[in-house]
């Protein structure tokens, strides 16, 4: 299949491009190398996917372009059978500083993709959404019928994005699916995330710093489980027009995560606490039964094993990855 991965040099997009090209598909990764966090990591994402294509049966092409340029993105959308739309300005805190830029990329950029797909023979557009569309929980775990009251510009932009995807399915018959990811982690993850920060500090003999009292809860979802959910959508049409939670098997408090990492890497350290950021959701927890029913989605990675795998990868890639974590 010809697959377009927007944000293909990013964390999740990079893993998708790697998997699909290894599996024998012809992958185009489209990315503007947005310097939101150091672009060095994106170069590693690209190299990994290139290697996978060389070792596997597929092909890989990197296009440096901006989603906000309608003419450019339309051309690559038109050539693809399936589109995995990952490009976004990710991150809650950054969105509080630059809401208009976030809207331009996440909402108008998505409209560019959907509009081009509507005019093409696109088989499916899979949109990367986020647990941050839910906002304050009325009950947990969130199912997809839970109200959506995002508490950040980022969450609002992801909600608008998935509503457009749904409307394009209803009004124009374009097959679209939105996947609400819950805190994705794993090798080559964005360096400004709690797990990469905790691992880095513990390996350097520094206590992990928790924002707030650490009772915030998250589903930490391992990247391989996320890739698998996306991969199913290459061939499954049962979820067209739907939004699906893509979470994990474990829902844990941030302080439990910090303890797990500390216990694995540097057991003598005491945890430290700092002021909480109000834009961060207090609790997120996914009910994944809909994704299980429609896609057969069954995440397999436990947090203990996932942290172990990530820490092993971190040690092997410490020379280039650690400076990115330390400066983010
Ligand atoms: P990422 O920042 O690593 O990847 C996003 C990529 O999009 C980057 O490589 C960036 O350069 C590219 N990009 C940004 N603006 C662009 C533009 N205008 N044109 C072209 N490319 C552009 O983030 P990620 O963690 O891989 O997230 C991928 C998707 O998943 C995003 O849509 C994000 O909102 C969503 N998501 C991620 C998580 C998570 O925990 N990582 C959780 C929920 C949702």
């Amino acid at each position: 299949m010809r697959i377009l991965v927007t944000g293909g040099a990013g964390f999740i997009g990079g893993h998708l491009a790697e998997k699909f090209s290894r599996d024998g598909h012809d992958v185009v990764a489209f990315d503007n190398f947005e310097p939101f966090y150091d672009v060095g990591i994106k170069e590693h994402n690209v190299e990994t996917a290139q290697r996978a294509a060389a070792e596997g049966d597929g092909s890989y092409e990197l296009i440096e372009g901006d989603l906000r340029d309608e003419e450019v993105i339309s051309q690559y959308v038109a050539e693809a059978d399936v589109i995995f739309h990952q490009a976004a300005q990710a991150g809650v805190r950054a969105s509080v500083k630059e809401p208009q830029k976030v809207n331009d990329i996440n909402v108008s950029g998505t409209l560019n993709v959907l509009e081009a797909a509507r005019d093409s023979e696109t088989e499916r557009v899979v949109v990367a959404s986020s647990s941050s569309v839910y906002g304050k929980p009325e009950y947990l775990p969130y199912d997809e019928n839970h109200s959506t009251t995002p508490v950040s510009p980022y969450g609002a932009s992801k909600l608008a994005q998935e509503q457009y995807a749904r409307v394009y399915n209803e009004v124009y018959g374009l097959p679209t699916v939105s996947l609400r990811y819950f805190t994705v982690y794993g090798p080559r993850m964005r360096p400004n995330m709690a797990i990469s920060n905790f691992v880095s500090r513990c390996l350097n003999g520094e206590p992990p710093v928790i924002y707030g009292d650490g009772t915030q809860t998250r589903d930490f979802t391992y990247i391989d489980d996320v890739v698998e959910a996306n991969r199913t959508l290459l061939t499954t049409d049962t979820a067209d027009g739907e939004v699906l939670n893509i979470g994990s098997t474990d829902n844990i408090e941030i302080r439990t995560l910090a303890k797990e990492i500390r216990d694995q890497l540097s057991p003598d350290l005491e945890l430290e606490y700092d002021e909480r950021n109000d834009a961060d959701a207090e609790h997120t927890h996914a009910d994944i039964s809909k994704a299980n029913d429609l896609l057969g989605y069954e995440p397999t990675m436990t947090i203990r094993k996932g942290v172990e795998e990530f820490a092993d990868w971190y040690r092997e890639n410490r020379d280039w990855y650690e400076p990115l974590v330390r400066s983010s």
Side-chain angles (χ1 to χ4, degrees):
M1 275 181 155
R2 286 166 306 169
I3 297 175
L4 173 66
V5 183
T6 71
F11 167 46
I12 298 172
H15 279 272
L16 291 176
E18 178 189 353
K19 173 71 178 157
F20 293 148
S21 49
R22 194 180 291 283
D23 282 353
H25 299 289
D26 295 323
V27 175
V28 172
F30 183 94
D31 203 293
N32 75 338
F33 286 75
E34 174 74 30
F36 164 56
Y37 58 85
D38 195 289
V39 294
I41 196 163
K42 298 176 206 259
E43 282 154 14
H44 282 271
N45 289 336
V46 169
E47 276 167 28
T48 310
Q50 278 168 337
R51 230 180 4 254
E55 288 164 7
D57 298 325
S59 68
Y60 175 88
E61 187 185 359
L62 173 69
I63 305 295
E64 213 171 322
D66 197 305
L67 205 58
R68 289 166 288 185
D69 186 334
E70 200 178 341
E71 213 173 298
V72 172
I73 187 65
S74 301
Q75 179 190 335
Y76 295 100
V77 167
E79 289 167 2
D81 297 318
V82 181
I83 295 147
F84 292 87
H85 176 44
Q86 310 298 306
Q89 174 84 45
V92 165
R93 289 176 209 184
S95 80
V96 175
K97 289 189 193 133
E98 293 188 299
Q100 278 180 320
K101 180 179 176 194
V102 168
N103 185 77
D104 286 347
I105 298 175
N106 297 6
V107 184
S108 303
T110 299
L111 260 182
N112 287 345
V113 172
L114 292 170
E115 197 50 19
R118 164 164 97 94
D119 293 338
S120 311
E121 312 252 301
T122 309
E123 289 175 26
R124 184 161 300 103
V125 181
V126 181
V127 171
S129 187
S130 165
S131 60
S132 51
V133 301
Y134 288 115
K136 293 194 172 62
E138 288 158 15
Y139 57 86
L140 286 171
Y142 297 114
D143 57 34
E144 290 82 353
N145 295 322
H146 188 283
S147 65
T148 45
T149 49
V151 293
S152 68
Y154 171 70
S157 76
K158 297 311 271 187
L159 183 58
Q161 172 192 48
E162 63 173 48
Q163 288 289 355
Y164 274 120
R166 185 185 57 75
V167 163
Y168 268 66
N169 178 259
E170 270 190 34
V171 177
Y172 307 113
L174 177 70
T176 62
V177 182
S178 293
L179 300 182
R180 291 178 177 164
Y181 299 152
F182 283 66
T183 320
V184 188
Y185 75 104
R188 294 179 274 122
M189 69 196 284
R190 302 206 311 263
N192 56 350
M193 308 279 280
I195 294 188
S196 43
N197 184 278
F198 292 165
V199 167
S200 177
R201 289 186 65 89
C202 288
L203 285 176
N204 283 287
E206 298 161 1
V209 181
I210 295 161
Y211 296 107
D213 64 3
T215 56
Q216 308 93 305
T217 52
R218 295 282 180 275
D219 274 25
F220 290 99
T221 314
Y222 199 67
I223 183 67
D224 292 358
D225 289 325
V226 170
V227 169
E228 189 49 31
N230 278 281
R231 200 186 60 80
T232 314
L233 287 164
L234 279 173
T235 48
T236 304
D237 60 7
T238 45
D240 287 347
E242 301 288 340
V243 293
L244 303 175
N245 288 339
I246 299 298
S248 65
T249 49
D250 298 302
N251 181 257
I252 62 168
E253 291 186 343
I254 296 286
R255 62 184 176 184
T256 309
L257 171 75
K259 278 182 199 148
E260 177 64 43
I261 293 174
R262 187 266 319 267
D263 292 348
Q264 283 192 28
L265 304 180
S266 200
D268 296 335
L269 292 173
E270 294 288 334
L271 307 185
E272 279 183 8
Y273 293 84
D274 203 343
E275 211 171 299
R276 178 166 183 266
N277 187 313
D278 286 338
D280 289 336
E282 184 71 25
H283 299 288
T284 67
H285 182 17
D287 178 335
I288 53 172
S289 45
K290 186 174 174 188
N292 180 266
D293 287 350
L294 295 182
L295 304 184
Y297 174 66
E298 277 184 53
T300 54
M301 188 61 98
T302 61
I303 192 71
R304 174 156 301 170
K305 183 86 183 100
V307 162
E308 245 174 67
E309 299 238 335
F310 176 70
D312 286 348
W313 175 87
Y314 186 107
R315 286 194 192 89
E316 282 165 25
N317 293 274
R318 197 166 178 170
D319 56 329
W320 68 268
Y321 186 69
E322 184 159 272
L324 306 183
V325 180
R326 308 301 285 187
S327 61
S328 66

